[in-house]
Amino acid sequence: MPVTHIQNQFSTPESNDVLIVNELHFSYPDGHIALQGVSLKLCNGDKVALVGPNGAGKSTLMLHLNGILNGKGNVQISGKQLTKDNLPSIRAMVGLVFQNPDDQLFSPTVFEDVAFGPLHMGLPEDEVRQRVDNALEAVRMTAYKDRLSHHLSVGEKKRIAIATVLSMNPSLLVLDEPSAGLDPRARRTLINLLRELPITMLVSTHDMALVKELFPRTIVMDEGKVVADGLTQDILADEAFLNQHGLEKP
Amino acid sequence: MLLSPAPLHIPDGFLSIVVSVICWAITIVTLYFAISKTNQSLGEKQIPLMGIMAAFIFAAQMINFPVAGGTSGHLLGGALAAIVLGPWAGMLVMTAVIALQALLFQDGGLVVMGANILNMGLITAAIGYGLYRSVSGQSKAVKLGVAGFAAWLSVMAGALFTALQLWLSGTSQLNIVIPAMMGVHALIGVGEALITVAALSFIMQTRPDLLGEGSESAKGSRNWIYAGGIISLLVVLISPFASGDPDGLERVAIDMGFIDAGQDAPYSIIPDYTLPFLGETALSTILAGVVGIAVVGAIMVLVGRGLKAKS
Amino acid sequence: MHFDAFDRYHEKESFLHKLDPRVKVLVTVIFIVSNALLPDGAWLAFIFAWLFLLVINFISKLGLGFTVKRSIIALPFALIAITVLFSIPGKPLTTFNFLMWELTITDAGFLRFISILVRSWLSVQMAILLVAVTRFPDLIHALEHLKVPAILTTIIAFLYRYLFVMTDEVFRLIRARESRSGGVAGRRSGGGVLWRAKIAGNMVGQLFLRSFERSDRIYNAMVARGYAGHLYTLNAHEMKSYDYFAAAFAIALIFILQLIGRL
């Protein structure tokens, strides 16, 4: 049952596109070409998997979605063109969660980390505290507010890492390898959390079982290009195609 | 086991209030400049970079290597931090490390922290960076050799300043504490030098771009070369002078009001270190110091060459 | 892996734990300064200072002997002060021969030596207590309130956060080194000192590169959440009336200590 393009009845079709990437090209300073004309579109409520072998350009693409990297081409978030001038507001709309939670959680306490985003958006103190509470509630970690980050398990760190961007009320959540390094129970908790979160998300992963279970739509990248974009069940059914791009059927 | 307190971390109680306050004053003024300089030069990346580098220095201090007889060599890191990060950022990073060691682990005192930062963070960075910059543009072997020598001398300078502060506080006798501290740290400094050289040569091979000669301007780096050179010269001159002619330094201290004259009239316990053929003069002890430092410097250049040849 | 060896905070429900961290930092520093100001041989004041510590130990609910047990840390440094035993003129107490020297301990030297040790011992106990009843992040907030420049407190906060991550990395490196440095029976293993130093240096270099790359990733994570060169923090601490009262009371007691020491 593909639920790829749910129409939100309260908004017009144009404003329904949360993310539009058009003909994005990027090469690193050392000359390595990472992206060669990537285009994709996510609608409100989409939960999309981004798969592909190492070096396919997934992480590079993600770093473009909130302007940390600037390639040729264009990126639109909720109808807003990404430019140097509106970087702050774009960054508030795109919640980017990095693969290693130890890089994401850089403050001594959980509270300080979850409050970092809202504080840097310039929100007043009461609102910041409210948002921290809401974000921790959303990832079921309310009791962890005053914990020290280095006391958390990897699974707990991953959930807090998601809370650190939820507190910014993003319209798009971008996750890099959320299930990497988790034991089965922590992975299950995380899958349930991602399923429940009522937010548009693009999730880069090698975990094909996760893709099959959670995401109706999958985008396959290889060598800096989108090589497939469609229903997960169709893509996963084509074993020859998967092998060709270094992927495996779950 | 994890944290063997280095002899340079002075605990509270060993320095007088006057000495502590003077050291704080010097430290605060230097840090004030360090903060304004790094704000200008490093940009918005500086905060995470310096924070992580502080953690790096802290962790690197735990890496040790067995030397002999159960002793081990390890790193203090002041010279290395200044060489890879630039002098001002290196100072801030070392300050954070020393502050955390004092606050969290009581490794070094709180009221004497100004002295500890001065000895282990500021002087070491100035010497490390100054001497290293004096050979920028030279061959890799020369750079590594000088870096090693600078690392060794930075530890010696830290030891000398610690000894002087202890003496000014009336905690130790000058003609004992200087030879004792300098003697112990001449060995500790060799460990510092070896690790610094090996680490630098590793970075030069893998990421030479990170050692892009720092962000200092030509004028700025010339000033650093002078600063590092002058402090080094002080170490070379003061230490033999102080142990050879303690009365001289004592008079200076009394004149400046550090010590009330009645407090110290030291019995001479340890015979002075002198070159036999020159007799017991200040000149002879200064020469002894110069000779010693030259020998160690030559060894460091050779080691630098050797490491480079092997790799 | 958790490095509980690095955690100095002891969770308890006590008045001291709840006290504003600024008050705790200030009183600690003033206490240590006061120790340094007490004259040599002010035994009565030293005893009262120790009683003051005992009472604080008691209030903290950590147990009366809590700080004493942990206070030997600064003891090795006492060696450096040992020369004052012989160097200060006074009435000779005892004379003995050590190697080639004849050493005479004087009463004045003995008094000074013991006074230095007692000052150090009292001071280190207060510092131990400070971190035992104050969470380190709160200590950093206190420093911010006390006008330590934000850039320094931020570096210290990063250092504290990544202490654990990096030492973990060091131990992985050391374990990897150990698991590869086997010895053959009857033969000296491990190469010469130079070689060992080079391995250690390579580990430091390796660690530096990893740290550098990590700082890049952290910077990205900060930028992604709106960081643009200026750091904003929320400080959860507000001085309440009992904080002021506790501070005033403690400082008054320390002042009395000084009076006792100078009578």
Side-chain angles (χ1 to χ4, degrees):
Chain A
M1 38 118 230
V3 281
T4 323
H5 296 278
I6 310 164
Q7 290 292 319
N8 183 332
Q9 52 182 320
F10 298 112
S11 57
T12 58
E14 291 98 301
S15 69
N16 207 12
D17 291 324
V18 172
L19 170 70
I20 300 174
V21 177
N22 200 12
E23 276 299 307
L24 199 57
H25 291 262
F26 182 76
S27 326
Y28 281 98
D30 64 3
H32 169 70
I33 299 170
L35 299 178
Q36 331 186 29
V38 171
S39 301
L40 53 93
K41 201 184 260 194
L42 260 69
C43 296
N44 198 3
D46 275 359
K47 292 189 176 177
V48 180
L50 180 62
V51 301
N54 289 333
K58 304 187 299 282
S59 298
T60 309
L61 172 64
M62 293 182 147
L63 290 174
H64 277 84
L65 300 185
N66 65 359
I68 290 177
L69 294 177
N70 292 298
K72 257 199 340 231
N74 82 64
V75 175
Q76 271 182 45
I77 311 289
S78 296
K80 262 197 198 171
Q81 184 80 23
L82 192 154
T83 63
K84 260 213 150 59
D85 301 326
N86 62 10
L87 268 185
S89 58
I90 294 283
R91 282 177 181 162
M93 289 194 282
V94 181
L96 191 50
V97 180
F98 293 86
Q99 181 178 348
N100 185 343
D102 277 329
D103 299 337
Q104 181 89 19
L105 304 180
F106 45 74
S107 310
T109 66
V110 168
F111 172 84
E112 285 169 293
D113 243 316
V114 182
F116 188 93
L119 263 178
H120 285 77
M121 291 162 70
L123 297 175
E125 183 172 339
D126 291 345
E127 165 107 38
V128 172
R129 293 186 187 281
Q130 189 57 49
R131 286 199 178 199
V132 171
D133 289 342
N134 294 347
L136 286 175
E137 171 80 51
V139 297
R140 306 272 151 84
M141 299 290 278
T142 305
Y144 284 69
K145 188 162 131 185
D146 292 318
R147 292 284 195 98
L148 299 174
S149 302
H150 65 265
H151 283 170
L152 306 174
S153 72
V154 184
E156 290 163 350
K157 281 181 186 167
K158 290 258 183 185
R159 279 149 72 195
I160 301 289
I162 293 173
T164 62
V165 301
L166 287 182
S167 60
M168 301 168 74
N169 286 352
S171 39
L172 171 67
L173 195 57
V174 181
L175 308 177
D176 196 357
E177 292 287 352
S179 62
L182 294 184
D183 64 27
R185 194 192 312 174
R187 178 175 170 275
R188 181 51 49 199
T189 315
L190 186 98
I191 291 178
N192 291 338
L193 170 66
L194 294 184
R195 197 199 314 275
E196 287 164 18
L197 283 177
I199 183 169
T200 312
M201 59 177 82
L202 179 65
V203 178
S204 155
T205 184
H206 291 304
D207 184 346
M208 297 307 275
L210 171 78
V211 173
K212 185 177 177 189
E213 184 175 340
L214 206 54
F215 301 102
R217 177 178 156 206
T218 297
I219 295 173
V220 185
M221 279 185 76
D222 200 359
E223 293 176 352
K225 286 180 217 146
V226 172
V227 291
D229 183 351
L231 294 180
T232 301
Q233 52 190 11
D234 298 345
I235 288 171
L236 292 186
D238 191 346
E239 215 160 330
F241 174 82
L242 288 177
N243 287 336
Q244 188 193 336
H245 295 288
L247 300 170
E248 235 176 27
K249 194 176 169 170
Chain B
M1 151 216 71
L2 283 179
L3 303 147
S4 52
L8 285 180
H9 290 74
I10 308 171
D12 279 317
F14 284 81
L15 293 187
S16 70
I17 278 292
V18 177
V19 172
S20 305
V21 168
I22 290 173
C23 290
W24 264 121
I26 300 172
T27 297
I28 288 171
V29 170
T30 313
L31 288 180
Y32 171 82
F33 281 110
I35 289 170
S36 62
K37 291 286 181 182
T38 45
N39 273 337
Q40 285 162 24
S41 62
L42 284 173
E44 60 187 44
K45 246 184 183 168
Q46 62 166 332
I47 285 181
L49 179 64
M50 289 197 286
I52 299 308
M53 284 303 146
F56 155 71
I57 293 288
F58 181 92
Q61 288 183 348
M62 290 181 171
I63 296 177
N64 56 6
F65 66 97
V67 176
T71 60
S72 59
H74 66 100
L75 190 73
L76 184 62
L80 181 64
I83 290 171
V84 296
L85 296 173
W88 297 119
M91 285 177 177
L92 290 182
V93 161
M94 290 306 290
T95 300
V97 171
I98 294 160
L100 181 117
Q101 285 169 339
L103 282 168
L104 192 54
F105 304 118
Q106 292 81 49
D107 199 0
L110 298 180
V111 170
V112 299
M113 197 198 290
N116 283 329
I117 293 173
L118 176 64
N119 301 340
M120 290 184 287
L122 308 187
I123 291 168
T124 52
I127 290 184
Y129 187 77
L131 297 192
Y132 182 73
R133 271 319 286 260
S134 70
V135 290
S136 69
Q138 304 278 331
S139 76
K140 205 169 140 183
V142 172
K143 277 187 182 173
L144 285 178
V146 169
F149 174 62
W152 179 81
L153 196 63
S154 75
V155 172
M156 293 299 276
L160 174 66
F161 274 75
T162 307
L164 290 175
Q165 290 151 7
L166 287 166
W167 162 66
L168 287 172
S169 302
T171 301
S172 307
Q173 202 182 345
L174 187 64
N175 61 344
I176 297 173
V177 72
I178 286 191
M181 287 293 279
M182 304 290 275
V184 170
H185 285 88
L187 277 178
I188 292 177
V190 172
E192 177 88 10
L194 291 173
I195 296 186
T196 302
V197 169
L200 268 181
S201 113
F202 181 90
I203 298 167
M204 280 176 177
Q205 276 163 39
T206 44
R207 286 291 298 274
D209 55 307
L210 297 184
L211 293 170
E213 304 287 295
S215 47
E216 282 290 322
S217 63
K219 182 166 163 269
S221 69
R222 215 173 29 248
N223 290 342
W224 278 108
I225 294 169
Y226 292 142
I230 288 169
I231 300 177
S232 310
L233 208 63
L234 274 180
V235 177
V236 175
L237 293 181
I238 289 185
S239 41
F241 178 69
S243 37
D245 182 17
D247 294 344
L249 260 191
E250 209 121 284
R251 259 196 312 276
V252 173
I254 292 167
D255 290 347
M256 288 169 70
F258 281 116
I259 300 179
D260 37 287
Q263 190 181 302
D264 279 54
Y267 294 25
S268 199
I269 305 178
I270 287 183
D272 298 294
Y273 289 94
T274 50
L275 292 179
F277 52 89
L278 279 172
E280 285 193 30
T281 61
L283 175 70
S284 137
T285 44
I286 289 174
L287 272 180
V290 174
V291 169
I293 284 168
V295 168
V296 175
I299 292 172
M300 291 325 300
V301 172
L302 289 177
V303 169
R305 287 242 169 87
L307 283 177
K308 197 196 157 211
K310 264 188 226 160
S311 52
Chain C
M1 195 198 268
H2 289 310
F3 283 96
D4 294 333
F6 288 165
D7 283 324
R8 291 294 187 270
Y9 179 67
H10 290 252
E11 183 86 58
K12 283 267 184 320
E13 282 286 323
S14 87
F15 176 73
L16 276 189
H17 286 74
K18 283 198 295 262
L19 205 57
D20 190 283
R22 268 167 288 187
V23 174
K24 291 186 264 191
V25 170
L26 273 180
V27 170
T28 302
V29 170
I30 293 173
F31 181 74
I32 296 174
V33 169
S34 151
N35 290 335
L37 288 174
L38 284 177
D40 289 352
W43 306 122
L44 198 60
F46 286 147
I47 289 170
F48 274 107
W50 183 56
L51 286 178
F52 182 64
L53 268 174
L54 276 185
V55 170
I56 298 181
N57 265 305
F58 179 75
I59 297 174
S60 72
K61 297 191 180 161
L62 294 169
L64 281 178
F66 179 82
T67 53
V68 175
K69 266 184 267 166
R70 291 162 178 77
S71 63
I72 50 162
I73 178 164
L75 217 56
F77 209 85
L79 210 61
I80 211 91
I82 217 149
T83 56
V84 296
L85 278 176
F86 323 111
S87 65
I88 297 181
K91 214 173 75 201
L93 290 179
T94 170
T95 302
F96 60 95
N97 287 310
F98 178 73
L99 300 178
M100 54 205 250
W101 302 292
E102 194 188 70
L103 300 176
T104 303
I105 298 180
T106 63
D107 58 346
F110 186 72
L111 189 80
R112 175 139 186 80
F113 181 67
I114 298 297
S115 299
I116 288 172
L117 291 198
V118 168
R119 281 192 199 104
S120 169
W121 182 71
L122 292 171
S123 302
V124 82
Q125 289 191 61
M126 197 58 148
I128 289 168
L129 207 56
L130 173 67
V131 283
V133 300
T134 317
R135 285 171 13 125
F136 200 74
D138 291 335
L139 210 56
I140 297 174
H141 291 156
L143 296 180
E144 276 168 21
H145 280 302
L146 295 169
K147 306 287 179 231
V148 174
I151 186 163
L152 271 178
T153 55
T154 311
I155 298 176
I156 294 173
F158 269 102
L159 166 57
Y160 177 71
R161 169 67 183 95
Y162 285 98
L163 193 76
F164 304 91
V165 179
M166 304 278 258
T167 40
D168 211 9
E169 220 157 285
V170 166
F171 283 111
R172 278 201 299 271
L173 283 169
I174 289 180
R175 238 175 286 138
R177 173 178 70 177
E178 272 163 7
S179 64
R180 274 179 295 170
S181 41
V184 182
R187 284 180 112 187
R188 217 174 125 268
S189 71
V193 170
L194 269 189
W195 182 80
R196 280 181 290 207
K198 190 182 171 193
I199 299 295
N202 283 349
M203 282 163 61
V204 171
Q206 185 90 323
L207 194 65
F208 169 77
L209 292 186
R210 290 189 196 177
S211 312
F212 193 87
E213 284 158 10
R214 184 185 290 280
S215 79
D216 252 359
R217 297 197 300 269
I218 292 169
Y219 173 69
N220 282 344
M222 292 170 75
V223 165
R225 285 192 264 153
Y227 171 72
H230 192 277
L231 271 179
Y232 301 88
T233 50
L234 269 190
N235 258 333
H237 305 286
E238 219 176 294
M239 292 280 281
K240 306 210 174 53
S241 54
Y242 64 80
D243 290 316
Y244 287 108
F245 178 75
F249 188 64
I251 292 169
L253 284 180
I254 294 171
F255 184 71
I256 294 172
L257 280 181
Q258 281 295 318
L259 291 183
I260 295 174
R262 282 155 196 286
L263 278 180

